[in-house]
Amino acid sequence: MNMAVGSQGGFQPGKSLRRAWFILITVVLCLWVLLPIYLLFSNAFSTSSGVSAFPKGIVPPFSTESVGFFFRYSGVGKAFWSSIQVAVLTMIMSILIGAPAGYSLSRFDFRGKNLFRILILMTRAFPLPLLALPMAVMFIRVGLDDTILGLALVHTTLALPFAVLITYSLFSGIPIELEEAAWTLGCNRIQAFRKVIFPLVLPGITASAIFAFVISWNEVFAAAVLTIEHRTLPAFILQSLGVAPLHLKFAGGAVLVLPALIFIFLVRKYLFAMWGIANR
Amino acid sequence: MAEIRIKQVAKSFGKFQALDSIDLTIADQEFMVLLGASGCGKTTLLRIVAGLETATTGEVWIGDKRVDRLSPKDRNIAMVFQNYAVFPHLTVFENIAFGLRMAKIDNNEIEKRVKRTAELMHIEQLLQRYSGQLSGGQRQRVAVARALAMEPEVILMDEPLSNLDALLRMEMRAELKSILAESNTTTIYVTHDQVEAMSMADRISIMNQGKIVQAANPTEVYRNPAARFVGSFIGNPPMNFLPATRAANGRWSVAGSEIDGPTSDESTLEFAIRPEDLTVGDGPLSATVKVVEPLGPHILASCLVAGELFRVILENGSNVQSGDTLKIKPIADRIRWFHPENQLAV
């Protein structure tokens, strides 16, 4: 009787249990991402006394006082601009170098291919201080010290292994026959890449570019060691706000997070626009 | 005019010899099937003609142009791939138009040609869809349409039907055959399916271990296999083989009976006969029936003759049972003989 009623009402115990799990996990994941962001921003846009108040109200007192102060604080604007320049440069260089390397790894056979792949990963095995100090010396010799380009080069070496390996798996996921079909239909290698492979890997390339951007944006050690005048934002915040009051730290944190959020928001369509590469 | 001439083409991958000095001429507008088991080199040969693989040595000519150093786009060919290779980011229309756009043909003409080939392949209602929204059979049609729209001199097909289910495959087989017959192109079609080869080809090239064993029309290949391999590969069930020893000039002893055969100085030969070329009742061979399989149109009996597996096709309604002994007579002009060492027809 119970069963009959249940099935009439479209009630299926297994399905609703799975649904409950789905909702629970979704909620936990959302909280995982949103809660820190909420705390960061609510404290950044709060009054200085509101930050340390306890318990907090649901709607914290709104004030742009901390953020305003932070932006007026001398050097922030410049550091922010340096950060963007370095991150964009890192992004461009790691894709320009990484994507062709990933393509070659997936499409060509050459001697030492496996060794090369391991070596790419090995670059991540060196602790950054080990790389940064000799680099600082070298940069001073060639005049790259304390420049945007110099720091972007270091960040590129950090982002490059990921760029190579991500693009390698992207290209490997695209059947070679698609390229061959393009060749038989009148394309040379470059045209086939541009008209067939590139549109298919664009979402993945974008994701890998964002990754490079974020690696550079968050990197603080090399930035602190290699720059003095052209400090990036994280290095600047580390240097200037280490002993600053809590509400200014929150303001700095918010400013640090915001560009990455906006950036990912702008390119989200490429991240989701996978065309369903069903042709395997 | 697009006669294809393949001259002494060889290909090795490292130590592995994939193709061993292939000589083959395919006439203008001919439908040539390359048939063989997987790994026999048929796809490699096709890819060399396409320009997707370079031959280690040898020449490939299409018409009066030597093409083996040209890139695929300069060979005036179109290719249909086993997995269709329909571009997933383009609509069906743009897929078919792809090669035409590369050739810088003007838009009106492109539209006309795409419409025409789409109608030919019965996919005109799918032109705005993407590959992900198509079934396997529809993708297959798009791939063929894309090749036909190029109006190439040569169409190369690499197992184009092997990913389709059996019924669809039979349907497409007939359709492809009639479309290609009307298209004035020279076709090279690679398959491992002998039924496909027999039903579609003007000529079949049977390949084994990197060599062409026989290139002839389907009937000839079936009736007069040039080598033992062809007899055992073509035909389902394949040919029966029995060892023969020389009894007298032109007389050979097969399974204890004497049969007329070729005059040869060899002391042994191999006797071969197709399972349907036998009459049952009174004959020199005695066969012990092991398994009887009613197949519908006829009955297949697997027997032992002098300890060798020997298949006989019986008419429907015969009440042969496992364990019976049959007296079998081979139809004299259907018997074939093969050399025991080089395995060629005698």
Side-chain angles (χ1 to χ4, degrees), chain B residues 32-304:
Chain B
M32 170 64 89
V33 170
L34 303 181
L35 176 66
S38 57
C40 72
K42 56 191 193 298
T43 295
T44 305
L45 183 58
L46 187 81
R47 290 172 60 86
I48 286 173
V49 176
L52 298 173
E53 206 88 66
T54 39
T56 312
T57 58
E59 297 175 8
V60 180
W61 293 70
I62 295 178
D64 44 20
K65 201 161 72 168
R66 185 173 169 187
V67 298
D68 52 83
R69 297 282 164 226
L70 298 180
S71 56
K73 69 188 176 70
D74 300 321
R75 297 188 179 201
N76 205 1
I77 53 148
M79 185 153 167
V80 178
F81 293 83
Q82 183 174 6
N83 66 3
Y84 321 132
V86 174
F87 303 132
H89 62 301
L90 299 177
T91 59
V92 169
F93 184 98
E94 284 304 321
N95 261 283
I96 300 173
F98 189 91
L100 305 175
R101 292 207 193 285
M102 289 308 299
K104 302 242 176 347
I105 289 169
D106 77 66
N107 279 331
N108 291 335
E109 173 67 15
I110 289 180
E111 188 132 335
K112 252 190 272 171
R113 277 217 228 169
V114 171
K115 288 262 159 64
R116 196 168 64 221
T117 42
E119 271 165 33
L120 193 65
M121 295 308 296
H122 305 299
I123 48 172
E124 64 269 34
Q125 73 286 8
L126 305 175
L127 285 175
Q128 295 316 315
R129 300 249 191 112
Y130 286 92
S131 154
Q133 303 164 302
L134 303 178
S135 69
Q138 289 169 332
R139 265 181 235 163
Q140 174 58 52
R141 286 168 184 276
V142 174
V144 175
R146 187 173 64 183
L148 288 175
M150 296 293 287
E151 296 175 3
E153 290 182 310
V154 175
I155 288 193
L156 306 171
M157 299 198 165
D158 185 10
E159 311 225 10
L161 303 184
S162 66
N163 287 358
L164 301 180
D165 63 63
L167 197 65
L168 204 53
R169 191 153 51 200
M170 202 160 80
E171 210 177 285
M172 279 300 282
R173 206 162 69 199
E175 207 176 319
L176 266 186
K177 186 178 179 176
S178 78
I179 287 170
L180 289 169
E182 280 165 32
S183 71
N184 300 333
T185 55
T186 310
T187 307
I188 305 183
Y189 186 106
V190 162
T191 183
H192 64 267
D193 181 339
Q194 49 163 309
V195 181
E196 233 168 84
M198 296 289 285
S199 65
M200 298 176 87
D202 292 328
R203 266 199 306 157
I204 302 178
S205 293
I206 291 145
M207 296 185 64
N208 186 30
Q209 296 179 346
K211 286 187 177 129
I212 292 181
V213 186
Q214 186 174 12
N217 68 52
T219 318
E220 177 72 10
V221 162
Y222 188 77
R223 278 285 154 237
N224 298 315
R228 188 189 197 277
F229 174 80
V230 178
S232 65
F233 191 76
I234 297 274
N236 188 19
M239 263 186 156
N240 293 308
F241 297 95
L242 291 172
T245 50
R246 192 170 189 271
N249 197 22
R251 295 283 287 171
W252 297 85
S253 161
V254 178
S257 312
E258 279 194 17
I259 292 178
D260 278 332
T263 49
S264 161
D265 291 337
E266 297 292 333
S267 59
T268 60
L269 282 182
E270 206 163 14
F271 160 93
I273 186 88
R274 293 216 171 265
E276 68 270 27
D277 295 336
L278 301 160
T279 52
V280 178
D282 187 31
L285 302 177
S286 82
T288 315
V289 180
K290 288 290 168 193
V291 182
V292 179
E293 298 169 73
L295 297 177
H298 52 249
I299 296 169
L300 175 64
S302 299
C303 314
L304 284 181

Side-chain angles (χ1 to χ4, degrees), chain A residues 45-199:
Chain A
F45 289 97
S46 170
T47 54
S48 53
S49 57
V51 171
S52 38
F54 188 86
K56 290 178 182 301
I58 298 297
V59 183
F62 180 81
S63 154
T64 55
E65 174 199 332
S66 320
V67 176
F69 179 82
F70 179 78
F71 269 111
R72 281 191 306 276
Y73 190 74
S74 104
V76 167
K78 193 164 166 253
F80 189 84
W81 177 231
S82 300
S83 256
I84 288 184
Q85 282 177 292
V86 172
V88 168
L89 214 54
T90 301
M91 187 172 88
I92 293 170
M93 286 196 292
S94 52
I95 291 306
L96 281 186
I97 303 170
Y103 182 83
S104 329
L105 271 178
S106 99
R107 287 292 191 253
F108 300 115
D109 273 320
F110 50 87
R111 277 175 65 141
K113 180 167 158 174
N114 286 328
L115 184 69
F116 181 63
R117 258 165 58 189
I118 292 167
L119 280 178
I120 289 172
L121 276 180
M122 285 291 286
T123 60
R124 294 296 306 189
F126 294 104
L128 190 56
L130 214 66
L131 287 171
L133 291 174
M135 262 183 175
V137 174
M138 211 164 75
F139 278 14
I140 289 169
R141 278 193 200 144
V142 294
L144 270 176
D145 58 307
D146 199 14
T147 59
I148 299 291
L149 179 65
L151 187 55
L153 280 173
V154 176
H155 287 178
T156 303
T157 60
L158 295 178
L160 200 54
F162 296 104
V164 174
L165 293 178
I166 292 173
T167 53
Y168 161 68
S169 67
L170 283 174
F171 290 125
S172 301
I174 291 177
I176 182 107
E177 285 86 354
L178 287 181
E179 237 174 314
E180 290 178 339
W183 298 341
T184 60
L185 290 167
C187 291
N188 59 34
R189 251 185 197 274
I190 292 167
Q191 287 169 321
F193 184 86
R194 214 183 63 219
K195 288 179 180 288
V196 175
I197 306 305
F198 186 68

Side-chain angles (χ1 to χ4, degrees), chain B residues 332-344:
Chain B
D333 64 351
R334 293 284 166 82
I335 300 171
R336 297 292 175 266
W337 302 87
F338 295 104
H339 193 278
E341 271 138 42
N342 64 22
Q343 311 222 319
L344 298 178

Side-chain angles (χ1 to χ4, degrees), chain B residues 9-22:
Chain B
V9 163
K11 173 76 183 177
S12 40
F13 297 103
K15 278 183 190 149
F16 175 67
Q17 181 91 10
L19 290 177
D20 186 2
S21 192
I22 300 282

Side-chain angles (χ1 to χ4, degrees), chain B residues 319-330:
Chain B
N319 55 358
V320 169
Q321 310 252 310
S322 154
D324 289 358
T325 301
L326 301 177
K327 286 288 177 194
I328 296 174
K329 183 167 187 259

Side-chain angles (χ1 to χ4, degrees), chain A residues 20-43:
Chain A
W21 269 110
F22 178 75
I23 292 170
L24 182 72
I25 290 170
T26 311
V27 168
V28 167
L29 283 177
C30 286
L31 285 179
W32 178 272
V33 175
L34 292 178
L35 201 62
I37 293 177
Y38 165 75
L39 285 175
L40 191 62
F41 282 93
S42 69
N43 282 323

